[in-house]
Structures are given as structure tokens and as C-alpha cells.
Amino acid sequence: EAQVTQNPRYLITVTGKKLTVTCSQNMNHEYMSWYRQDPGLGLRQIYYSMNVEVTDKGDVPEGYKVSRKEKRNFPLILESPSPNQTSLYFCASSLTEGQGNEKLFFGSGTQLSVL
Amino acid sequence: RKEVEQDPGPFNVPEGATVAFNCTYSNSASQSFFWYRQDCRKEPKLLMSVYSSGNEDGRFTAQLNRASQYISLLIRDSKLSDSATYLCVVLDNYGQNFVFGPGTRLSVLP
């Protein structure tokens, strides 16, 4: 089954304790992206990647890191989480071959709480 | 100016009403256009792609006006289950990145 898998679904942590949220897709998609969603603010892009070893900042990259060493995985790393990073996070992937072939597939989300 | 803008909403409509959502985008070189639907705290899901000629899927009709850089979504005979946030999404030039609008919340009331 084609899917984007995020883990964990829920995470409670404390300020300053490094954490990684994993994202994996089994569709051989070139494009992958991370978003955070906060009440009243819609989806905001953190980082995206057009292919292996190619990553770019989105709208709100501060405090986050990503890596794209393999096509299927795109982990989101918080080196020193802070309470303002408490949010609902989504990972997504897509083909980007050309018009009409693109469709974003989303993971189920990760609710992160930083105390 | 934001790259993708949408009606601020929320829209509260009775069952059976017709409702229209509007979206404008700033990058004239944008390639592809989509409407996504998101239920509260769930992942967004593709509702429909938007083609230059306009397209229809049951009660939903999407239109694209490239000259005005404007996209619309029309929902006819709205159902309670249509209550959600509707997101306008644009794939920028050269297919580099998907850009999301802020979304418009719809509540269909009995």
C-alpha cells in the first residue's frame, strides 16, 4: 500500500532534549516536505527536499534540521526543542514529474508537546 | 503579499446550499493547482486537481483563470460531511515546491 509513515504519532518531551521525528515513503517520490500546524495559522512549511541530498528551507526553518540521505526517508530533527515548537507536524511526499502527475501524500501527523 | 491567498472564512451555510471558495496566487509561472480538504487535526487529502479547462467531480467544480491568477471551488448541495477546511495549493514554477494557502473553514449546518 502506498503510504507515508510518520513516527511517533504522539510525543511529549522536555526543553532541550534532542528528538527526531521520522518520515518514510514507499512510493519512490522525489519530493518530501515537513509542515507544522498551529491553531489559526494553517500549514506552515519547515523544510522540503527535491531529491536525495537536496534540501531547502521553507517558511519556518528555525530550530529544525532535516536530512535526505536516502530517497525514502526524510527525518525532522529538533536539536534543542523549546515550548514554542509544540505543534502538530505533518510529513508529505510527491512526484514532481510535470503537470497532472503531482499529488501530495501526507503522513498521519505527529503531535509534539515540549514542556 | 502572500504567495497564495484564500477567503478568510469561516463560512457557515445550511445543508443544501451552494458555496464558493476563492483563491489567488502571486507567481504567474505556477504550474499546477489543487484543492485539498482537511478535517480537524487530520492530514490534508486531495479533493481535486484544477485544470485550465475547469473540471467537475460530482458536486464539486473547480475553475482556473490563469490570466487573473485565480482559482475557485464550488460545492453544490452541501452536506454536513463537507464541513472541513479547504486548502488551495499551488505547485510553483519548474515544479519545485508546493505552496499552501491558509485555508477556508466551512461549517455546514443542519
Side-chain angles (χ1 to χ4, degrees):
Chain A
E1 181 190 353
Q3 60 184 1
V4 177
T5 303
Q6 273 181 248
N7 279 300
R9 285 295 309 274
Y10 302 93
L11 178 59
I12 301 173
T13 189
V14 295
T15 299
K17 186 176 181 182
K18 180 179 178 179
L19 67 90
T20 299
V21 185
T22 63
C23 176
S24 179
Q25 49 91 7
N26 62 359
M27 297 166 279
N28 202 38
H29 285 167
E30 297 94 0
Y31 176 94
M32 296 187 75
S33 183
W34 276 103
Y35 305 88
R36 63 176 287 175
Q37 188 165 40
D38 303 289
L41 291 179
L43 279 169
R44 293 184 292 168
Q45 190 177 49
I46 303 170
Y47 271 95
Y48 66 102
S49 169
M50 288 301 298
N51 216 322
V52 175
E53 302 293 359
V54 180
T55 62
D56 280 294
K57 294 178 180 179
D59 299 317
V60 288
E62 296 79 18
Y64 304 94
K65 286 173 59 177
V66 292
S67 70
R68 190 88 184 274
K69 295 179 180 153
E70 310 163 276
K71 203 169 191 179
R72 63 182 292 124
N73 295 322
F74 190 44
L76 179 69
I77 302 155
L78 285 71
E79 294 272 4
S80 182
S82 61
N84 64 12
Q85 292 177 300
T86 292
S87 188
L88 178 59
Y89 291 86
F90 289 106
C91 178
S93 73
S94 175
L95 290 170
T96 52
E97 292 177 345
Q99 203 161 6
N101 293 329
E102 313 87 0
K103 175 185 173 182
L104 273 170
F105 288 78
F106 280 86
S108 298
T110 296
Q111 177 62 57
L112 171 65
S113 297
V114 183
L115 306 177
Chain B
R1 182 185 172 191
K2 292 182 182 175
E3 289 188 56
V4 179
E5 298 193 58
Q6 294 184 238
D7 292 328
F11 284 27
N12 299 313
V13 302
E15 267 187 293
T18 296
V19 59
F21 299 123
N22 300 311
C23 171
T24 57
Y25 59 95
S26 60
N27 187 345
S28 60
S30 297
Q31 282 192 330
S32 303
F33 311 89
F34 311 89
W35 284 101
Y36 277 73
R37 170 201 167 120
Q38 186 179 25
D39 295 293
C40 188
R41 303 191 67 74
K42 300 285 190 183
E43 70 272 23
K45 294 185 178 175
L46 180 67
L47 181 65
M48 52 198 309
S49 302
V50 187
Y51 303 118
S52 295
S53 55
N55 46 303
E56 187 174 311
D57 182 4
R59 297 182 294 108
F60 300 85
T61 301
Q63 297 267 343
L64 168 64
N65 184 324
R66 284 190 185 269
S68 302
Q69 295 178 205
Y70 168 89
I71 307 155
S72 66
L73 175 68
L74 187 75
I75 305 176
R76 290 180 299 277
D77 188 24
S78 49
K79 313 291 185 190
L80 295 176
S81 57
D82 293 333
S83 297
T85 296
Y86 291 82
L87 300 163
C88 177
V89 183
V90 174
L91 182 60
D92 69 6
N93 49 308
Y94 308 115
Q96 292 290 317
N97 194 21
F98 290 86
V99 183
F100 279 75
T104 302
R105 178 158 180 76
L106 171 67
S107 293
V108 181
L109 309 172

